[in-house]
Amino acid sequence: MSLAFDEFGRPFIIIKEGAPQSRLKGLDAQKANILAARTVANVLRTSLGPRGMDKALVNKDGDVTITNDGATILDQMEVENQIAKLMVELSKSQDAEIGDGTTGVVVLAGALLEQAEQLLDRGIHPIRVSDGFERACSVAVENLKMISETVDVKATDSDFLIRTAMTTLGSKIVNRYQKEMAEMCVKAVLAVADMERRDVNLDLIKVEGKVGGKLEDTQLVYGIVVDKEISHPQMVKEIRDAKMIILTCPFEPPKPKTKHKVDIDSVEKYKQLHAQEQQYFVDMVQRCKDVGANLVICQWGFDDEANHLLLQQQLPAVRWVGGVEIELIAIATGGRIVPRFQEMSPEKLGRAGLVREISFGTTKDRMLVIEQCANSKAVTIFIRGGNKMIIDEAKRSVHDALCVTRNLIRDNRIVYGGGAAEISCSLAVSAAADTVSTVEQYAMRGFADALDAVPVALAENSGMQPIQTLAAVKARQLSEGNPRLGIDCLGQGTNDMRDQHVFETLLGKTQQLLLATQVVKMILKIDDVLSPTTAFF
């Protein structure tokens, strides 16, 4: 067995073919599992916070992704070890449930495993460690509820929503334009939100990007942006008071389902066949005109003959529109999707105040914008950027901000960021550990120390003295009883996160603690690993 490195500097182990299986049992297995999971967690540690570093990820095709989003980094890393994959799944779970905090949850889980390893070395049984972590997690979650503040979330007053979205965007590549981006995200969520049920369907918000321009050209469109163009260059490019028919059937003559053969042995028969095909097209176009449509949206393509007939009849058309976009257009315009030409009727038309084709730069890339829709429950955030990497990262940042805004509408309680909530929970867990007489008290103190890993990482990534900074803030929280004090990552001169407007949703922070504790408990309960290799990463 030998250790080697590939062209990207990633380590891998070469094992002789037919080598015997390795088996780890008991404490050795638990330590090997902890090492594998901590290796993954340490990769993300430097990406935490507003001053966190980005990672450049190169895939097999040579495409480069630059990001500091925890879920994206772990998703694109080639993790072989099955235990390390649990950390990847942990990040995905946080991303699916909350949408933000994917880096923090992995860093917290890594810190918990580090503390667990020390407790195992002291001879404490893994089950007792798991029980202690579970009790400590319950104390921390109760403390979060106690220190949380309820904010008034209204459609007319979105100030808190914007500030919370700005906190999320502060650690992203779009942070120089974070206020405007946050406002766009909040407006998009409020446009589709059901405030009575306090719920948001994010499927109604489309995030579209186009290379070119600058980040400041990003805009919110109350409607749909489709990466398509009008099918014929001579058709009108702007349609006011559009009545569109949305087709999922092909704009062409019907084809028999069975095998068939057509024998044409004379010019007259060919002309007859051609005339019959043309008549099909004429009837289809006329049927669209008869129901009152002045725009055709088609999921399938149509040939040049149909295109020419549509131009002659002054009926603009768009072809090859994707299924998801078709559904969004139908929702936004209040139209019905028509699967067969025979089912057309005026009631199924979608309506929009303005449909226009826009072009960009010297490349003349064209896109279709559908605005002033009858039902404005569908919106699009249209992102511009200098290259594809910036647009992709901006899309991920916008997704996080949209999710956080949705979470705050669902549950309007907030806690303060900058490590303030973790320090407060750490103090609460330490105090609770003093009241426990059993061996679980050591695990609870270990949990408290693990919570300090988040503010330590924030201070470290901001170029501060981590231990000294944490000790000073922790001492102030303890003496002043102020759970809003955190790490001043941006050097604004105050540790009060309320003054810095650094907020996080209670929902997201609670989920971080619960998910990290569950994964750590799962890893600690594994005491036998049978595998053909001993690679950790």
Side-chain angles (χ1 to χ4, degrees):
M1 186 174 72
S2 61
L3 182 68
F5 295 87
D6 64 9
E7 63 268 36
F8 302 114
R10 293 179 299 216
F12 64 93
I13 294 172
I14 301 171
I15 295 179
K16 187 177 174 183
E17 190 176 358
Q21 288 188 333
S22 62
R23 184 174 185 180
L24 291 171
K25 295 178 69 177
L27 191 60
D28 289 337
Q30 283 150 350
K31 286 195 171 184
N33 295 341
I34 288 170
L35 176 61
R38 279 182 57 197
T39 305
V40 173
N42 289 338
V43 171
L44 294 190
R45 187 179 169 86
T46 55
S47 294
L48 189 67
R51 297 294 179 90
M53 308 297 278
D54 290 350
K55 309 292 182 195
L57 303 159
V58 185
N59 66 9
K60 291 174 182 176
D61 298 327
D63 296 331
V64 181
T65 303
I66 298 176
T67 182
N68 68 351
D69 180 61
T72 307
I73 293 169
L74 293 183
D75 189 44
Q76 298 200 14
M77 274 173 56
E78 290 186 20
V79 179
E80 295 296 333
N81 185 275
Q82 298 304 316
I83 304 301
K85 282 181 181 177
L86 288 175
M87 302 298 273
V88 179
E89 294 300 322
L90 168 66
S91 186
K92 284 182 180 177
S93 299
Q94 179 77 10
D95 193 38
E97 188 70 24
I98 302 298
D100 189 35
T102 52
T103 307
V105 71
V106 176
V107 170
L108 178 59
L112 284 170
L113 288 168
E114 187 178 346
Q115 294 297 323
E117 188 174 20
Q118 295 176 15
L119 294 167
L120 293 175
D121 286 339
R122 291 164 70 177
I124 300 174
H125 195 275
I127 295 298
R128 306 301 291 272
V129 175
S130 297
D131 292 345
F133 281 176
E134 188 65 41
R135 289 180 69 172
C137 182
S138 301
V139 172
V141 168
E142 285 303 316
N143 182 67
L144 280 176
K145 290 177 182 175
M146 196 170 66
I147 65 172
S148 66
E149 294 183 11
T150 303
V151 295
D152 193 14
V153 176
K154 295 182 292 188
T156 52
D157 183 16
S158 56
D159 188 43
F160 251 99
L161 291 170
I162 291 170
R163 288 177 179 175
T164 310
M166 282 176 65
T167 302
T168 303
L169 295 172
S171 61
K172 310 292 183 186
I173 201 168
V174 299
N175 59 359
R176 64 187 174 89
Y177 192 54
Q178 68 181 40
K179 189 172 192 305
E180 292 81 359
M181 291 286 268
E183 286 174 355
M184 263 183 264
C185 293
V186 170
K187 284 177 183 175
V189 170
L190 290 176
V192 303
D194 185 346
M195 296 304 284
E196 289 182 9
R197 290 174 54 235
R198 304 197 75 83
D199 194 22
V200 180
N201 183 5
L202 291 184
D203 291 337
L204 295 175
I205 303 173
K206 187 183 178 197
V207 182
E208 190 68 61
K210 197 77 173 176
V211 174
K214 53 187 185 292
L215 203 58
E216 285 78 3
D217 296 334
T218 299
Q219 56 183 308
L220 174 64
V221 178
Y222 286 94
I224 308 294
V225 177
V226 185
D227 194 5
K228 300 292 173 188
E229 55 186 281
I230 301 289
S231 63
H232 198 288
Q234 290 180 313
M235 287 176 178
V236 292
K237 306 297 182 188
E238 186 174 300
I239 303 136
R240 294 193 175 274
D241 191 23
K243 299 181 185 70
M244 62 189 77
I245 190 80
I246 304 166
L247 300 173
T248 55
C249 49
F251 215 102
E252 59 187 25
K255 294 176 181 175
K257 300 290 183 186
T258 57
K259 287 186 179 181
H260 64 284
K261 183 180 178 183
V262 180
D263 287 325
I264 299 174
D265 51 12
S266 66
V267 175
E268 288 75 19
K269 286 184 180 178
Y270 178 79
K271 285 182 178 177
Q272 187 181 352
L273 180 65
H274 183 253
Q276 183 68 37
E277 280 195 352
Q278 275 209 319
Q279 192 58 43
Y280 270 122
F281 283 129
V282 170
D283 291 345
M284 287 174 179
V285 174
Q286 192 56 47
R287 198 171 276 138
C288 293
K289 297 281 283 185
D290 289 344
V291 296
N294 58 6
L295 175 64
V296 175
I297 306 283
C298 188
Q299 187 176 11
W300 302 99
F302 40 81
D303 60 17
D304 292 340
E305 194 167 4
N307 208 9
H308 184 67
L309 277 168
L310 287 164
L311 174 65
Q312 281 184 330
Q313 294 290 329
Q314 296 182 347
L315 185 61
V318 185
R319 54 187 166 184
W320 298 119
V321 180
V324 176
E325 291 165 333
I326 283 270
E327 289 176 8
L328 276 173
I329 291 170
I331 291 168
T333 60
R336 297 279 297 278
I337 295 172
V338 180
R340 284 187 292 272
F341 277 92
Q342 291 79 4
E343 295 183 13
M344 283 187 192
S345 65
E347 298 79 36
K348 293 182 179 179
L349 294 177
R351 287 171 169 76
L354 177 64
V355 177
R356 59 194 173 95
E357 188 181 89
I358 53 176
S359 59
F360 306 100
T362 55
T363 56
K364 295 299 178 189
D365 284 335
R366 293 179 178 87
M367 297 184 85
L368 200 69
V369 182
I370 303 170
E371 297 175 289
Q372 300 167 26
C373 300
N375 174 17
S376 62
K377 278 281 186 183
V379 297
T380 303
I381 297 175
F382 185 49
I383 297 171
R384 305 301 310 281
N387 57 47
K388 189 173 181 295
M389 281 187 289
I390 286 178
I391 287 175
D392 289 343
E393 181 66 0
K395 281 183 179 179
R396 287 188 285 268
S397 306
V398 165
H399 170 261
D400 287 0
L402 291 173
C403 290
V404 164
T405 310
R406 176 200 62 188
N407 295 339
L408 200 53
I409 288 175
R410 282 181 176 174
D411 185 348
N412 60 340
R413 290 176 292 175
I414 59 161
V415 293
Y416 291 92
E422 283 85 357
I423 293 170
S424 175
C425 288
S426 174
L427 292 170
V429 172
S430 294
D434 294 336
T435 64
V436 177
S437 59
T438 56
V439 77
E440 280 86 358
Q441 62 176 294
Y442 296 107
M444 292 178 73
R445 290 196 183 96
F447 192 97
D449 291 341
L451 285 170
D452 290 339
V454 173
V456 164
L458 287 172
E460 204 173 309
N461 295 343
S462 303
M464 304 175 185
Q465 294 288 339
I467 306 300
Q468 187 180 336
T469 306
L470 173 66
V473 174
K474 207 169 185 179
R476 280 188 62 192
Q477 267 213 29
L478 197 58
S479 60
E480 298 174 22
N482 183 0
R484 300 189 302 271
L485 297 175
I487 307 297
D488 181 19
C489 297
L490 300 174
Q492 304 225 344
T494 175
N495 290 104
D496 196 321
M497 295 296 113
R498 179 191 280 175
D499 297 340
Q500 290 203 26
H501 305 305
V502 179
F503 311 114
E504 292 186 63
T505 59
L506 174 66
L507 203 62
K509 190 59 73 178
T510 304
Q511 194 72 17
Q512 272 190 352
L513 291 174
L514 293 172
L515 283 176
T517 307
Q518 285 170 13
V519 168
V520 169
K521 282 179 64 181
M522 187 188 300
I523 292 172
L524 287 176
K525 286 189 175 182
I526 299 170
D527 73 336
D528 199 348
V529 180
L530 184 63
S531 64
T533 70
T534 55
F536 296 131
F537 193 68

